[in-house]
């Protein structure tokens, strides 16, 4: 059984890789929030607006 090999896979991820993943995730999140929040399409903008209100996020 390869229990040692399978448990060491997660440990081999370096801190630089984790920082890169976190940075890319943050950029993706900012892009999605920015794109949807400032979209001029009423359906997309209203859906984002309602979602922000459901999270108690101040938007106006």
């Amino acid at each position: 059984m390869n229990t040692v090999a399978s448990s060491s896979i997660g440990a081999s991820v370096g801190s630089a890789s984790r920082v890169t993943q976190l940075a890319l995730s943050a950029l993706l999140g900012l892009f999605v929030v920015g794109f949807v929040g400032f979209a001029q399409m009423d359906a997309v903008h209203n859906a984002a607006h309602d979602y922000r209100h459901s999270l108690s996020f101040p938007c106006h």
Side-chain angles (χ1 to χ4, degrees):
M1 300 191 92
N2 278 337
T3 57
V4 175
S6 63
S7 65
S8 66
I9 291 173
S12 67
V13 176
S15 63
S17 176
R18 289 182 185 170
V19 170
T20 303
Q21 291 174 3
L22 180 62
L24 290 176
S25 297
L27 287 174
L28 178 63
L30 287 173
F31 173 75
V32 169
V33 168
F35 174 75
V36 173
F38 294 109
Q40 297 301 316
M41 297 180 293
D42 286 336
V44 174
H45 180 79
N46 289 337
H49 188 258
D50 293 341
Y51 183 70
R52 284 191 301 254
H53 278 293
S54 73
L55 295 174
S56 301
F57 184 80
C59 57
H60 49 84

